[in-house]
Amino acid sequence: MITALLIIFALIIEYIYDPISNMKDTMVIDMTFDKYKSFTKDYIDTKYYLYISFPIIIIFFFSIITYLLDNYLHSFFSFIISLIILVYCLKPNEFIQKIDDLKFKINSNNEVEEIARFNYILAANASNKDSMDDIVDNIFYNSVRNIFSVMFCFLILGPSGSLAYVVLDYFIYSNHIKIDQKSKKNIKLIVALIDYVPIRLCAFSFAVVADFEQCMKTWKKIKKGKDIYDSNINLINTIGKSSIILSNEDKENALLNKIIFTQSVISRSLLAWLSLIGLLIIGGFFI
């Protein structure tokens, strides 16, 4: 039941207490990574190993902390630490808020506040990060980055696994940490392997909560690419977009209605995930 309580409390805290989103700034990751880099500069001289060892150390460190708290103090304290980490990593409410900001931007032609954070949460997988079409086309993949893969890593590795995933994702999409292209390519491969299962689970859940037959037909037509990272993005975005069917009336304001339908599909898919997780917890798959 600990798994269920952590997920329930994390979602309640984020949905009820809106200012919590402002506390999820990535400055914590920046500062911690800078200190880690300074500490290990005499031991790790390869940039790639530096980037990869950081999330591994995070998992190792928090595993030790929670073990010590559980066995030598009280499990309540390890529960609080796990809850704080999960609330920090899981971003359904912030993700929905950024989509609302996007809809407001389209309606009013105004700039979105906190543009750096906006671009991180709703990153476009293209050279032009400010392209509205690219951002809209990648909403489904961004839902995986911010919600579903985080939840999947939590179920498999616990809160430290979610934090490690967020750090790897941050290495790819952050503008603050400059990573060489070779290291970024290798990190993308690791993230792609982690995302492989949750992306396919998400694609299936999108099909279940929307037009199942249409999504399955589209899925069968998708060709596998050589790059697993780009293939994952193409799969989830293609299946997601195939789940959206606009009527003639909706096509009058197609871009805005497309975002509204996308938001609806993702929200229903999240409920499907939570329902399945609840069944697995009741079945004894998770503690």
PDB file of all heavy atoms in Angstrom, residues 40-64:
ATOM      1  N   THR A  40      34.272  15.221  -8.346  1.00  0.00           N
ATOM      2  CA  THR A  40      34.792  14.064  -9.093  1.00  0.00           C
ATOM      3  C   THR A  40      35.747  14.438 -10.226  1.00  0.00           C
ATOM      4  O   THR A  40      36.137  13.579 -11.013  1.00  0.00           O
ATOM      5  CB  THR A  40      33.626  13.261  -9.692  1.00  0.00           C
ATOM      6  OG1 THR A  40      32.853  14.116 -10.559  1.00  0.00           O
ATOM      7  CG2 THR A  40      32.733  12.699  -8.605  1.00  0.00           C
ATOM      8  N   LYS A  41      36.120  15.715 -10.336  1.00  0.00           N
ATOM      9  CA  LYS A  41      36.958  16.136 -11.463  1.00  0.00           C
ATOM     10  C   LYS A  41      38.309  15.435 -11.487  1.00  0.00           C
ATOM     11  O   LYS A  41      38.922  15.279 -12.553  1.00  0.00           O
ATOM     12  CB  LYS A  41      37.142  17.647 -11.445  1.00  0.00           C
ATOM     13  CG  LYS A  41      37.868  18.180 -10.221  1.00  0.00           C
ATOM     14  CD  LYS A  41      37.977  19.696 -10.297  1.00  0.00           C
ATOM     15  CE  LYS A  41      38.699  20.249  -9.061  1.00  0.00           C
ATOM     16  NZ  LYS A  41      38.808  21.734  -9.118  1.00  0.00           N
ATOM     17  N   ASP A  42      38.810  15.017 -10.313  1.00  0.00           N
ATOM     18  CA  ASP A  42      40.101  14.323 -10.253  1.00  0.00           C
ATOM     19  C   ASP A  42      39.959  12.817 -10.466  1.00  0.00           C
ATOM     20  O   ASP A  42      40.977  12.111 -10.584  1.00  0.00           O
ATOM     21  CB  ASP A  42      40.773  14.569  -8.896  1.00  0.00           C
ATOM     22  CG  ASP A  42      41.121  16.040  -8.694  1.00  0.00           C
ATOM     23  OD1 ASP A  42      41.393  16.710  -9.697  1.00  0.00           O
ATOM     24  OD2 ASP A  42      41.097  16.501  -7.533  1.00  0.00           O
ATOM     25  N   TYR A  43      38.721  12.312 -10.505  1.00  0.00           N
ATOM     26  CA  TYR A  43      38.495  10.874 -10.609  1.00  0.00           C
ATOM     27  C   TYR A  43      37.852  10.471 -11.933  1.00  0.00           C
ATOM     28  O   TYR A  43      38.099   9.376 -12.440  1.00  0.00           O
ATOM     29  CB  TYR A  43      37.598  10.397  -9.454  1.00  0.00           C
ATOM     30  CG  TYR A  43      38.099  10.818  -8.096  1.00  0.00           C
ATOM     31  CD1 TYR A  43      37.551  11.919  -7.428  1.00  0.00           C
ATOM     32  CD2 TYR A  43      39.135  10.124  -7.473  1.00  0.00           C
ATOM     33  CE1 TYR A  43      38.010  12.302  -6.195  1.00  0.00           C
ATOM     34  CE2 TYR A  43      39.594  10.508  -6.215  1.00  0.00           C
ATOM     35  CZ  TYR A  43      39.031  11.597  -5.583  1.00  0.00           C
ATOM     36  OH  TYR A  43      39.496  11.983  -4.355  1.00  0.00           O
ATOM     37  N   ILE A  44      37.021  11.344 -12.476  1.00  0.00           N
ATOM     38  CA  ILE A  44      36.322  11.037 -13.736  1.00  0.00           C
ATOM     39  C   ILE A  44      36.709  12.084 -14.769  1.00  0.00           C
ATOM     40  O   ILE A  44      36.345  13.265 -14.640  1.00  0.00           O
ATOM     41  CB  ILE A  44      34.791  11.025 -13.544  1.00  0.00           C
ATOM     42  CG1 ILE A  44      34.397  10.034 -12.455  1.00  0.00           C
ATOM     43  CG2 ILE A  44      34.102  10.674 -14.865  1.00  0.00           C
ATOM     44  CD1 ILE A  44      32.908  10.018 -12.153  1.00  0.00           C
ATOM     45  N   ASP A  45      37.458  11.674 -15.764  1.00  0.00           N
ATOM     46  CA  ASP A  45      37.911  12.632 -16.772  1.00  0.00           C
ATOM     47  C   ASP A  45      37.147  12.514 -18.087  1.00  0.00           C
ATOM     48  O   ASP A  45      37.377  13.283 -19.023  1.00  0.00           O
ATOM     49  CB  ASP A  45      39.410  12.463 -17.032  1.00  0.00           C
ATOM     50  CG  ASP A  45      39.785  11.029 -17.398  1.00  0.00           C
ATOM     51  OD1 ASP A  45      38.868  10.183 -17.466  1.00  0.00           O
ATOM     52  OD2 ASP A  45      40.984  10.768 -17.618  1.00  0.00           O
ATOM     53  N   THR A  46      36.240  11.541 -18.180  1.00  0.00           N
ATOM     54  CA  THR A  46      35.425  11.373 -19.384  1.00  0.00           C
ATOM     55  C   THR A  46      34.040  11.960 -19.136  1.00  0.00           C
ATOM     56  O   THR A  46      33.369  11.587 -18.172  1.00  0.00           O
ATOM     57  CB  THR A  46      35.290   9.884 -19.764  1.00  0.00           C
ATOM     58  OG1 THR A  46      36.597   9.320 -19.915  1.00  0.00           O
ATOM     59  CG2 THR A  46      34.522   9.731 -21.073  1.00  0.00           C
ATOM     60  N   LYS A  47      33.614  12.883 -19.989  1.00  0.00           N
ATOM     61  CA  LYS A  47      32.354  13.582 -19.781  1.00  0.00           C
ATOM     62  C   LYS A  47      31.166  12.618 -19.733  1.00  0.00           C
ATOM     63  O   LYS A  47      30.273  12.760 -18.893  1.00  0.00           O
ATOM     64  CB  LYS A  47      32.140  14.619 -20.886  1.00  0.00           C
ATOM     65  CG  LYS A  47      33.081  15.810 -20.803  1.00  0.00           C
ATOM     66  CD  LYS A  47      32.753  16.829 -21.880  1.00  0.00           C
ATOM     67  CE  LYS A  47      33.659  18.042 -21.767  1.00  0.00           C
ATOM     68  NZ  LYS A  47      33.356  19.046 -22.817  1.00  0.00           N
ATOM     69  N   TYR A  48      31.144  11.644 -20.623  1.00  0.00           N
ATOM     70  CA  TYR A  48      30.011  10.726 -20.678  1.00  0.00           C
ATOM     71  C   TYR A  48      29.847   9.975 -19.360  1.00  0.00           C
ATOM     72  O   TYR A  48      28.740   9.844 -18.834  1.00  0.00           O
ATOM     73  CB  TYR A  48      30.195   9.750 -21.835  1.00  0.00           C
ATOM     74  CG  TYR A  48      29.160   8.650 -21.875  1.00  0.00           C
ATOM     75  CD1 TYR A  48      27.829   8.937 -22.130  1.00  0.00           C
ATOM     76  CD2 TYR A  48      29.519   7.320 -21.645  1.00  0.00           C
ATOM     77  CE1 TYR A  48      26.874   7.939 -22.156  1.00  0.00           C
ATOM     78  CE2 TYR A  48      28.570   6.312 -21.673  1.00  0.00           C
ATOM     79  CZ  TYR A  48      27.260   6.619 -21.923  1.00  0.00           C
ATOM     80  OH  TYR A  48      26.323   5.631 -21.944  1.00  0.00           O
ATOM     81  N   TYR A  49      30.956   9.473 -18.818  1.00  0.00           N
ATOM     82  CA  TYR A  49      30.907   8.753 -17.542  1.00  0.00           C
ATOM     83  C   TYR A  49      30.483   9.676 -16.410  1.00  0.00           C
ATOM     84  O   TYR A  49      29.839   9.244 -15.450  1.00  0.00           O
ATOM     85  CB  TYR A  49      32.260   8.121 -17.234  1.00  0.00           C
ATOM     86  CG  TYR A  49      32.643   7.016 -18.187  1.00  0.00           C
ATOM     87  CD1 TYR A  49      33.951   6.898 -18.660  1.00  0.00           C
ATOM     88  CD2 TYR A  49      31.704   6.096 -18.632  1.00  0.00           C
ATOM     89  CE1 TYR A  49      34.303   5.887 -19.546  1.00  0.00           C
ATOM     90  CE2 TYR A  49      32.040   5.089 -19.511  1.00  0.00           C
ATOM     91  CZ  TYR A  49      33.339   4.988 -19.971  1.00  0.00           C
ATOM     92  OH  TYR A  49      33.670   3.991 -20.838  1.00  0.00           O
ATOM     93  N   LEU A  50      30.837  10.947 -16.533  1.00  0.00           N
ATOM     94  CA  LEU A  50      30.426  11.921 -15.527  1.00  0.00           C
ATOM     95  C   LEU A  50      28.907  12.067 -15.526  1.00  0.00           C
ATOM     96  O   LEU A  50      28.266  12.041 -14.467  1.00  0.00           O
ATOM     97  CB  LEU A  50      31.079  13.275 -15.818  1.00  0.00           C
ATOM     98  CG  LEU A  50      30.665  14.446 -14.925  1.00  0.00           C
ATOM     99  CD1 LEU A  50      31.182  14.245 -13.509  1.00  0.00           C
ATOM    100  CD2 LEU A  50      31.192  15.759 -15.488  1.00  0.00           C
ATOM    101  N   TYR A  51      28.314  12.186 -16.717  1.00  0.00           N
ATOM    102  CA  TYR A  51      26.867  12.352 -16.824  1.00  0.00           C
ATOM    103  C   TYR A  51      26.114  11.093 -16.396  1.00  0.00           C
ATOM    104  O   TYR A  51      25.074  11.186 -15.742  1.00  0.00           O
ATOM    105  CB  TYR A  51      26.488  12.708 -18.268  1.00  0.00           C
ATOM    106  CG  TYR A  51      27.124  13.971 -18.782  1.00  0.00           C
ATOM    107  CD1 TYR A  51      27.733  14.018 -20.031  1.00  0.00           C
ATOM    108  CD2 TYR A  51      27.125  15.129 -18.013  1.00  0.00           C
ATOM    109  CE1 TYR A  51      28.326  15.186 -20.506  1.00  0.00           C
ATOM    110  CE2 TYR A  51      27.721  16.303 -18.474  1.00  0.00           C
ATOM    111  CZ  TYR A  51      28.317  16.315 -19.730  1.00  0.00           C
ATOM    112  OH  TYR A  51      28.901  17.468 -20.179  1.00  0.00           O
ATOM    113  N   ILE A  52      26.632   9.943 -16.754  1.00  0.00           N
ATOM    114  CA  ILE A  52      25.937   8.687 -16.447  1.00  0.00           C
ATOM    115  C   ILE A  52      26.081   8.303 -14.981  1.00  0.00           C
ATOM    116  O   ILE A  52      25.147   7.765 -14.369  1.00  0.00           O
ATOM    117  CB  ILE A  52      26.458   7.551 -17.352  1.00  0.00           C
ATOM    118  CG1 ILE A  52      26.120   7.837 -18.804  1.00  0.00           C
ATOM    119  CG2 ILE A  52      25.874   6.210 -16.925  1.00  0.00           C
ATOM    120  CD1 ILE A  52      24.652   8.030 -19.078  1.00  0.00           C
ATOM    121  N   SER A  53      27.237   8.579 -14.406  1.00  0.00           N
ATOM    122  CA  SER A  53      27.466   8.190 -13.010  1.00  0.00           C
ATOM    123  C   SER A  53      26.602   8.999 -12.048  1.00  0.00           C
ATOM    124  O   SER A  53      26.251   8.518 -10.966  1.00  0.00           O
ATOM    125  CB  SER A  53      28.947   8.361 -12.648  1.00  0.00           C
ATOM    126  OG  SER A  53      29.345   9.716 -12.780  1.00  0.00           O
ATOM    127  N   PHE A  54      26.239  10.224 -12.442  1.00  0.00           N
ATOM    128  CA  PHE A  54      25.452  11.086 -11.554  1.00  0.00           C
ATOM    129  C   PHE A  54      24.096  10.478 -11.201  1.00  0.00           C
ATOM    130  O   PHE A  54      23.759  10.366 -10.007  1.00  0.00           O
ATOM    131  CB  PHE A  54      25.299  12.462 -12.201  1.00  0.00           C
ATOM    132  CG  PHE A  54      24.585  13.465 -11.344  1.00  0.00           C
ATOM    133  CD1 PHE A  54      25.025  13.750 -10.062  1.00  0.00           C
ATOM    134  CD2 PHE A  54      23.461  14.136 -11.821  1.00  0.00           C
ATOM    135  CE1 PHE A  54      24.367  14.679  -9.268  1.00  0.00           C
ATOM    136  CE2 PHE A  54      22.804  15.060 -11.045  1.00  0.00           C
ATOM    137  CZ  PHE A  54      23.248  15.337  -9.760  1.00  0.00           C
ATOM    138  N   PRO A  55      23.254  10.061 -12.174  1.00  0.00           N
ATOM    139  CA  PRO A  55      21.975   9.432 -11.786  1.00  0.00           C
ATOM    140  C   PRO A  55      22.160   8.095 -11.077  1.00  0.00           C
ATOM    141  O   PRO A  55      21.326   7.730 -10.228  1.00  0.00           O
ATOM    142  CB  PRO A  55      21.246   9.245 -13.130  1.00  0.00           C
ATOM    143  CG  PRO A  55      22.298   9.320 -14.167  1.00  0.00           C
ATOM    144  CD  PRO A  55      23.347  10.248 -13.635  1.00  0.00           C
ATOM    145  N   ILE A  56      23.246   7.373 -11.385  1.00  0.00           N
ATOM    146  CA  ILE A  56      23.505   6.109 -10.684  1.00  0.00           C
ATOM    147  C   ILE A  56      23.799   6.374  -9.213  1.00  0.00           C
ATOM    148  O   ILE A  56      23.301   5.662  -8.327  1.00  0.00           O
ATOM    149  CB  ILE A  56      24.675   5.355 -11.346  1.00  0.00           C
ATOM    150  CG1 ILE A  56      24.286   4.896 -12.751  1.00  0.00           C
ATOM    151  CG2 ILE A  56      25.089   4.147 -10.502  1.00  0.00           C
ATOM    152  CD1 ILE A  56      25.412   4.260 -13.537  1.00  0.00           C
ATOM    153  N   ILE A  57      24.598   7.405  -8.950  1.00  0.00           N
ATOM    154  CA  ILE A  57      24.900   7.790  -7.567  1.00  0.00           C
ATOM    155  C   ILE A  57      23.628   8.212  -6.840  1.00  0.00           C
ATOM    156  O   ILE A  57      23.440   7.928  -5.653  1.00  0.00           O
ATOM    157  CB  ILE A  57      25.937   8.936  -7.543  1.00  0.00           C
ATOM    158  CG1 ILE A  57      27.295   8.441  -8.030  1.00  0.00           C
ATOM    159  CG2 ILE A  57      26.063   9.524  -6.149  1.00  0.00           C
ATOM    160  CD1 ILE A  57      27.927   7.382  -7.151  1.00  0.00           C
ATOM    161  N   ILE A  58      22.739   8.894  -7.554  1.00  0.00           N
ATOM    162  CA  ILE A  58      21.463   9.330  -6.954  1.00  0.00           C
ATOM    163  C   ILE A  58      20.662   8.119  -6.476  1.00  0.00           C
ATOM    164  O   ILE A  58      20.155   8.096  -5.348  1.00  0.00           O
ATOM    165  CB  ILE A  58      20.647  10.156  -7.967  1.00  0.00           C
ATOM    166  CG1 ILE A  58      21.267  11.543  -8.145  1.00  0.00           C
ATOM    167  CG2 ILE A  58      19.186  10.289  -7.515  1.00  0.00           C
ATOM    168  CD1 ILE A  58      20.600  12.379  -9.209  1.00  0.00           C
ATOM    169  N   ILE A  59      20.536   7.113  -7.336  1.00  0.00           N
ATOM    170  CA  ILE A  59      19.796   5.896  -6.961  1.00  0.00           C
ATOM    171  C   ILE A  59      20.459   5.222  -5.770  1.00  0.00           C
ATOM    172  O   ILE A  59      19.792   4.816  -4.806  1.00  0.00           O
ATOM    173  CB  ILE A  59      19.716   4.928  -8.156  1.00  0.00           C
ATOM    174  CG1 ILE A  59      18.883   5.539  -9.288  1.00  0.00           C
ATOM    175  CG2 ILE A  59      19.120   3.587  -7.730  1.00  0.00           C
ATOM    176  CD1 ILE A  59      18.845   4.692 -10.545  1.00  0.00           C
ATOM    177  N   PHE A  60      21.778   5.096  -5.826  1.00  0.00           N
ATOM    178  CA  PHE A  60      22.531   4.439  -4.758  1.00  0.00           C
ATOM    179  C   PHE A  60      22.385   5.205  -3.443  1.00  0.00           C
ATOM    180  O   PHE A  60      22.136   4.609  -2.384  1.00  0.00           O
ATOM    181  CB  PHE A  60      24.005   4.342  -5.164  1.00  0.00           C
ATOM    182  CG  PHE A  60      24.868   3.619  -4.168  1.00  0.00           C
ATOM    183  CD1 PHE A  60      24.764   2.249  -4.001  1.00  0.00           C
ATOM    184  CD2 PHE A  60      25.793   4.326  -3.406  1.00  0.00           C
ATOM    185  CE1 PHE A  60      25.554   1.580  -3.075  1.00  0.00           C
ATOM    186  CE2 PHE A  60      26.589   3.661  -2.473  1.00  0.00           C
ATOM    187  CZ  PHE A  60      26.473   2.291  -2.310  1.00  0.00           C
ATOM    188  N   PHE A  61      22.513   6.529  -3.503  1.00  0.00           N
ATOM    189  CA  PHE A  61      22.466   7.361  -2.294  1.00  0.00           C
ATOM    190  C   PHE A  61      21.101   7.280  -1.614  1.00  0.00           C
ATOM    191  O   PHE A  61      21.008   7.046  -0.399  1.00  0.00           O
ATOM    192  CB  PHE A  61      22.789   8.810  -2.675  1.00  0.00           C
ATOM    193  CG  PHE A  61      22.647   9.786  -1.544  1.00  0.00           C
ATOM    194  CD1 PHE A  61      23.614   9.879  -0.558  1.00  0.00           C
ATOM    195  CD2 PHE A  61      21.536  10.632  -1.465  1.00  0.00           C
ATOM    196  CE1 PHE A  61      23.485  10.779   0.487  1.00  0.00           C
ATOM    197  CE2 PHE A  61      21.401  11.530  -0.425  1.00  0.00           C
ATOM    198  CZ  PHE A  61      22.375  11.610   0.558  1.00  0.00           C
ATOM    199  N   PHE A  62      20.033   7.471  -2.390  1.00  0.00           N
ATOM    200  CA  PHE A  62      18.702   7.465  -1.787  1.00  0.00           C
ATOM    201  C   PHE A  62      18.275   6.063  -1.349  1.00  0.00           C
ATOM    202  O   PHE A  62      17.480   5.921  -0.417  1.00  0.00           O
ATOM    203  CB  PHE A  62      17.682   8.061  -2.755  1.00  0.00           C
ATOM    204  CG  PHE A  62      17.699   9.559  -2.790  1.00  0.00           C
ATOM    205  CD1 PHE A  62      18.230  10.250  -3.869  1.00  0.00           C
ATOM    206  CD2 PHE A  62      17.197  10.301  -1.729  1.00  0.00           C
ATOM    207  CE1 PHE A  62      18.259  11.624  -3.891  1.00  0.00           C
ATOM    208  CE2 PHE A  62      17.221  11.686  -1.748  1.00  0.00           C
ATOM    209  CZ  PHE A  62      17.755  12.350  -2.826  1.00  0.00           C
ATOM    210  N   SER A  63      18.796   5.042  -1.998  1.00  0.00           N
ATOM    211  CA  SER A  63      18.519   3.666  -1.563  1.00  0.00           C
ATOM    212  C   SER A  63      19.112   3.419  -0.176  1.00  0.00           C
ATOM    213  O   SER A  63      18.477   2.800   0.686  1.00  0.00           O
ATOM    214  CB  SER A  63      19.087   2.663  -2.561  1.00  0.00           C
ATOM    215  OG  SER A  63      18.462   2.795  -3.815  1.00  0.00           O
ATOM    216  N   ILE A  64      20.321   3.929   0.035  1.00  0.00           N
ATOM    217  CA  ILE A  64      20.962   3.778   1.344  1.00  0.00           C
ATOM    218  C   ILE A  64      20.216   4.584   2.405  1.00  0.00           C
ATOM    219  O   ILE A  64      19.968   4.095   3.519  1.00  0.00           O
ATOM    220  CB  ILE A  64      22.441   4.230   1.277  1.00  0.00           C
ATOM    221  CG1 ILE A  64      23.244   3.254   0.420  1.00  0.00           C
ATOM    222  CG2 ILE A  64      23.051   4.317   2.677  1.00  0.00           C
ATOM    223  CD1 ILE A  64      24.691   3.640   0.235  1.00  0.00           C
TER     224      ILE A  64
END
